[in-house]
Amino acid sequence: MAFNSEKASARRLLGALEDGTLGVADTFYLVEDADPTLVYFIFTWLRAWYPASHPAADAVLGRLGALCSRYPKAARMAKAGQADALVAWFEEAHGYRDFRATEFIDLVVEKLEG
């Protein structure tokens, strides 16, 4: 499996936001080391998988909101990543809810690094 390290880092970032495995400061360090396009993908995937009707939405989106409030650079990175051509390709061809977390990370990291 190619790009194992990058995939592990992306999964760790997703897990930090989804499961609260890290505090806000440690999560920001992961964001800061990530590609802005990956940050956009992860933030958008979380919003798609955790709509307001989801029982875990308050916790997951609360962590995302706390991250972006405390570290505005995280939101700016995601905004910058949105402009990547890979995002347009993905959003035209797929839906964020089409992929579970592991499949999603595998796909976007392979495309970003490939």
Side-chain angles (χ1 to χ4, degrees), residues 64-84:
L64 182 57
L67 173 69
C68 292
S69 292
R70 186 163 170 196
Y71 298 98
K73 182 179 179 182
R76 288 192 303 271
M77 285 179 68
K79 182 72 173 161
Q82 183 179 13
D84 192 291

Side-chain angles (χ1 to χ4, degrees), residues 31-107:
V31 168
E32 208 170 27
D33 287 341
D35 182 288
T37 305
L38 179 64
V39 173
Y40 173 80
F41 274 133
I42 289 174
F43 286 11
T44 305
W45 186 91
L46 287 168
R47 287 185 187 111
W49 273 88
Y50 294 94
S53 60
H54 192 286
D58 286 346
V60 173
L61 298 180
R63 283 188 286 274
L64 182 57
L67 173 69
C68 292
S69 292
R70 186 163 170 196
Y71 298 98
K73 182 179 179 182
R76 288 192 303 271
M77 285 179 68
K79 182 72 173 161
Q82 183 179 13
D84 192 291
L86 185 58
V87 171
W89 164 81
F90 179 87
E91 291 178 350
E92 288 173 9
H94 305 286
Y96 287 92
R97 292 189 49 88
D98 293 346
F99 298 92
R100 296 235 176 251
T102 300
E103 298 169 315
F104 180 72
I105 293 298
D106 287 350
L107 175 67

Side-chain angles (χ1 to χ4, degrees), residues 9-19 42 45-46 101-102 105:
S9 294
R11 285 188 194 107
R12 188 165 184 225
L13 172 56
L14 180 64
L17 291 166
E18 189 173 29
D19 303 323
I42 289 174
W45 186 91
L46 287 168
T102 300
I105 293 298

